[in-house]
């Protein structure tokens, strides 16, 4: 016979009352004390009552089971789970994409600037080697064993006997003795040794910075490219020297000299390697400086990238190309000894500012029969008078362009460091023009000519620094924006956002 629910409850309670009332003390002591895990407390009992949230037994020990979000503990667990899953997802994505850091180490920047200074020095030494006509004193190319100079008289006699077979000794230095030969030998040997040092001190640190992940992925690719450029520069150096060791590689009747084309390629590649080191070193330092105060930097970069400054940025880029071309035209002047043709300025044979047409467009430099289709370009690159005229025109254009950029900059609202850069470029170009004119007047003395070549690289460096101050790369802008947005969230939401920013790496 079925009992009603009320009567069933009353009967159950009566049974419990009888069981607990009629028990002796000895039996009570013999009963087991309930374990803490099964203790009945109002707090735990409240969670076990119907209507409260209970974790299913099948899901109590699985990390993927989520507590209901309506529960306080469930909401807390959900927030920790979301944060951990976000971190894990970002770590997995970063591991899949790249293990390189976002920004490069400042130590890499200082190493790049030191390498650039070393290349600057070897460029100056190379100019002295050419001016003293020492570049053809070593007639062999031995990348490894050539690092050691002659150590005894027998070695010196061997080197000198090899030099005696060269066209330069036969046509120009047939009366040269061993002691005079040692002077030009040490100049060329020092230049080659310095080149090896530049290669080693760049290649080994590059491998270290990339292996230890001290540089970003784009910077690692640039460093590898510069290593290739340095290796190619060494090949060009020997290719240039080789042009002065064979009679069939220079014009009949002229004294032995290296090809002006190969000299320009050798110098242009050295300039490119130097500028790449300088640019990337400054870029790393600038990126760290901008990220140190992202809010102010974001405003600064926004101003630089404004449409009002776009003509100035474009003019700076064009000016850099013009300055580089002027420097390379100077290599053509040096290769042809064109600085000895006309030693006055601004005249080229008073009262002329330009030599006569018959001298500028001489058919003697053409390699084809009439009507001489190569007449113009061969005279522009092989005629000493025309080559000097080219250099004068390019140098004057560069000087006037820089003065025009300075005048234009006074009308713009430029940052202070950009204005200082413009003034510095004006000073460099003024000094360079004075040294160039003085070099002509005094028939190309060695110290002044070497200073003029160093001044060309210094001017190019100044224009590059100016360009780095006004250029805004997309990657740098993105990093600054992310850093500024992270600081903005911390300011609005307080410690919670600060902890989240630290956890996510913003």
């Amino acid at each position: 016979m079925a009992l009603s629910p009320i009567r069933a409850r009353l009967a159950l309670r009566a049974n419990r009352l009888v069981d607990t009332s009629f028990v002796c003390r000895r039996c009570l002591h013999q009963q087991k004390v309930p374990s803490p895990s099964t203790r009945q407390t109002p707090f735990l009992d409240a969670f076990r009552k119907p209507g409260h949230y209970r974790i299913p037994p099948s899901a109590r020990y699985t990390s993927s089971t989520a507590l209901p979000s309506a529960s306080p503990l469930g909401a807390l667990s959900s927030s920790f789970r979301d944060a951990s899953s976000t971190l894990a997802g970002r770590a997995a994505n970063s591991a899949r994409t790249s293990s390189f850091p976002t920004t490069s180490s400042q130590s890499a920047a200082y190493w790049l600037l030191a390498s650039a200074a070393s290349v600057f020095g070897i460029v100056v030494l190379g100019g002295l080697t050419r001016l003293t006509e020492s570049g053809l004193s070593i007639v062999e190319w031995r990348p490894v064993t050539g690092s050691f100079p002659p150590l005894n008289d027998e070695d010196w006699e061997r080197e000198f006997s090899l030099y005696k077979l060269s066209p330069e000794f036969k046509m120009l230095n047939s009366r040269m003795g061993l002691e005079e030969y040692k002077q030009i030998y040490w100049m060329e040997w020092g230049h080659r040794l310095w080149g090896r040092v530049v290669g080693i001190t760049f290649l080994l640190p590059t491998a270290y910075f990339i292996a230890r992940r001290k540089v970003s992925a784009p910077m690692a690719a640039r460093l590898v490219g510069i290593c290739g450029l340095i290796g190619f520069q060494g090949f060009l150096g020997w290719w240039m020297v080789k042009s002065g060791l064979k009679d069939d590689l220079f014009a009949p009747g002229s004294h032995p000299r290296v090809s002006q084309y190969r000299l320009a390629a050798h110098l242009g590649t050295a300039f490119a390697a130097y500028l790449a080191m300088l640019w990337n070193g400054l870029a790393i330092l600038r990126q760290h400086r901008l990220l140190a105060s992202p809010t102010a930097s974001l405003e600064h970069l926004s101003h630089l990238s404004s449409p009002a400054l776009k003509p100035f940025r474009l003019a700076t880029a064009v000016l850099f190309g013009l300055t580089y071309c002027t420097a390379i035209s100077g290599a053509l002047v040096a290769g042809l000894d064109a600085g000895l043709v006309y030693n006055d300025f601004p005249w080229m044979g008073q009262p002329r500012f330009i030599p006569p047409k018959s001298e500028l467009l001489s058919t003697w430099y053409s390699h084809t029969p009439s009507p001489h289709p190569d007449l113009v370009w061969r005279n522009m690159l092989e005629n000493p008078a025309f080559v000097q005229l080219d250099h004068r025109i390019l140098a004057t254009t560069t000087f006037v362009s820089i003065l025009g950029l300075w005048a234009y900059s006074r009308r713009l609202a430029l940052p202070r460091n950009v204005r200082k850069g413009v003034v510095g470029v004006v000073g460099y170009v003024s000094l360079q023009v004075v040294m160039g004119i003085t070099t002509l007047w005094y028939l190309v003395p060695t110290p002044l000519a070497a200073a003029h070549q160093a001044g060309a690289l210094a001017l190019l460096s100044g224009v590059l620094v100016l360009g780095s101050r006004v250029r805004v790369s997309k990657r740098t802008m993105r990093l600054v924006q992310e850093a500024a947005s992270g600081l903005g969230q911390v300011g609005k939401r307080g410690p919670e956002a600060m902890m989240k920013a630290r956890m996510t790496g913003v």
Side-chain angles (χ1 to χ4, degrees):
M1 179 178 180
L3 297 176
S4 64
I6 298 178
R7 293 179 63 185
R9 291 181 184 179
L10 290 176
L12 180 60
R13 290 184 181 183
N15 291 334
R16 289 180 179 177
L17 182 61
V18 172
D19 292 338
T20 57
S21 298
F22 300 97
V23 179
C24 64
R25 292 183 177 180
R26 183 176 297 178
C27 296
L28 289 174
H29 287 291
Q30 291 178 355
Q31 291 180 355
K32 294 182 179 180
V33 180
S35 62
S37 60
T38 60
R39 182 177 299 173
Q40 303 294 329
T41 62
F43 179 77
L44 295 178
D45 189 57
F47 279 88
R48 293 191 181 100
K49 289 181 180 180
H52 289 268
Y53 296 100
R54 183 182 301 173
I55 301 177
S58 60
R60 286 180 181 175
Y61 303 102
T62 56
S63 58
S64 61
T65 306
L67 290 173
S69 59
S71 170
L73 293 179
L76 182 61
S77 175
S78 178
S79 63
F80 279 110
R81 187 182 65 255
D82 293 342
S84 62
S85 62
T86 302
L87 289 175
R90 293 191 178 185
N93 291 335
S94 61
R96 285 194 301 266
T97 56
S98 175
S99 59
F100 289 92
T102 305
T103 58
S104 302
S105 172
Q106 292 190 22
S107 58
Y110 297 132
W111 159 70
L112 280 169
L113 295 180
S115 299
S118 180
V119 175
F120 191 100
I122 196 176
V123 168
V124 175
L125 181 60
L128 290 172
T129 303
R130 178 190 54 79
L131 290 167
T132 56
E133 297 183 352
S134 306
L136 300 178
S137 59
I138 302 178
V139 298
E140 291 181 328
W141 175 246
R142 294 171 293 173
V144 179
T145 58
S147 303
F148 302 97
L151 301 177
N152 49 51
D153 294 339
E154 182 180 354
D155 293 341
W156 277 113
E157 289 295 339
R158 175 184 176 278
E159 292 291 338
F160 190 37
S161 61
L162 292 175
Y163 178 68
K164 289 179 179 180
L165 300 176
S166 66
E168 184 180 68
F169 178 84
K170 295 177 181 179
M171 299 178 65
L172 296 178
N173 299 328
S174 58
R175 297 183 180 182
M176 176 180 287
L178 180 59
E179 294 301 322
E180 295 175 315
Y181 171 72
K182 288 182 179 181
Q183 296 180 2
I184 63 174
Y185 178 93
W186 284 120
M187 184 71 71
E188 173 64 11
W189 179 83
H191 181 62
R192 294 191 183 189
L193 181 64
W194 198 337
R196 293 181 176 94
V197 171
V198 169
I200 293 174
T201 57
F202 197 88
L203 179 62
L204 295 182
T206 295
Y208 168 78
F209 283 118
I210 294 178
R212 297 302 298 269
R213 298 300 188 263
K214 297 288 186 179
V215 293
S216 62
M219 185 59 63
R222 296 173 192 173
L223 296 182
V224 172
I226 296 176
C227 287
L229 197 62
I230 293 175
F232 182 63
Q233 170 71 359
F235 165 76
L236 286 179
W238 170 245
W239 186 56
M240 176 192 68
V241 171
K242 189 177 180 181
S243 65
L245 299 177
K246 294 184 177 180
D247 298 332
D248 56 345
L249 294 181
F250 49 88
S254 62
H255 69 273
R257 62 162 65 98
V258 298
S259 168
Q260 74 273 19
Y261 298 112
R262 301 186 185 187
L263 175 61
H266 185 56
L267 184 65
T269 309
F271 277 19
Y274 164 80
L275 295 172
M277 296 175 186
L278 179 62
W279 175 271
N280 289 290
L282 294 176
I284 295 175
L285 294 180
R286 186 193 186 205
Q287 192 174 86
H288 280 274
R289 188 168 56 252
L290 292 173
L291 292 176
S293 55
T295 304
S297 300
L298 183 59
E299 182 180 355
H300 173 71
L301 295 179
S302 300
H303 175 63
L304 288 178
S305 58
S306 62
L309 297 183
K310 184 177 180 180
F312 183 83
R313 296 195 302 270
L314 181 60
T316 304
V318 173
L319 181 61
F320 175 80
L322 178 62
T323 307
Y324 187 86
C325 291
T326 304
I328 300 305
S329 71
L332 296 176
V333 173
L336 293 171
D337 291 331
L340 300 174
V341 178
Y342 289 100
N343 301 104
D344 201 359
F345 189 86
W347 298 278
M348 296 185 73
Q350 290 187 7
R352 296 175 179 270
F353 290 99
I354 298 177
K357 183 179 179 180
S358 59
E359 184 178 358
L360 292 179
L361 298 176
S362 174
T363 57
W364 190 83
Y365 296 97
S366 176
H367 292 186
T368 57
S370 183
H372 308 294
D374 61 342
L375 180 66
V376 176
W377 72 266
R378 284 198 178 273
N379 276 275
M380 290 181 64
L381 300 176
E382 299 178 3
N383 185 347
F386 209 142
V387 168
Q388 188 187 124
L389 177 63
D390 290 339
H391 189 61
R392 290 190 181 204
I393 294 175
L394 287 172
T396 305
T397 305
T398 303
F399 178 70
V400 174
S401 300
I402 291 177
L403 293 182
L405 184 67
W406 171 76
Y408 177 64
S409 67
R410 295 175 62 86
R411 301 170 49 189
L412 301 174
L414 295 174
R416 185 178 180 183
N417 63 338
V418 177
R419 290 190 176 276
K420 287 183 178 180
V422 175
V423 174
V425 170
V426 172
Y428 279 130
V429 74
S430 301
L431 181 61
Q432 181 69 356
V433 167
V434 171
M435 286 193 298
I437 296 175
T438 309
T439 301
L440 282 177
W441 286 347
Y442 289 94
L443 299 177
V444 195
T446 298
L448 196 56
H452 184 55
Q453 178 174 323
L457 191 53
L459 174 60
L460 199 56
S461 304
V463 178
L464 182 77
V465 172
L466 175 61
S468 68
R469 293 179 178 179
V470 298
R471 182 178 180 272
V472 181
S473 66
K474 295 181 180 179
R475 187 172 185 273
T476 301
M477 176 65 82
R478 177 176 57 82
L479 292 176
V480 173
Q481 287 175 347
E482 291 178 356
S485 62
L487 289 180
Q489 291 178 1
V490 171
K492 291 181 180 180
R493 301 177 57 188
E496 181 182 353
M498 182 181 295
M499 181 170 291
K500 184 178 180 181
R502 292 180 179 177
M503 293 176 64
T504 56
V506 178

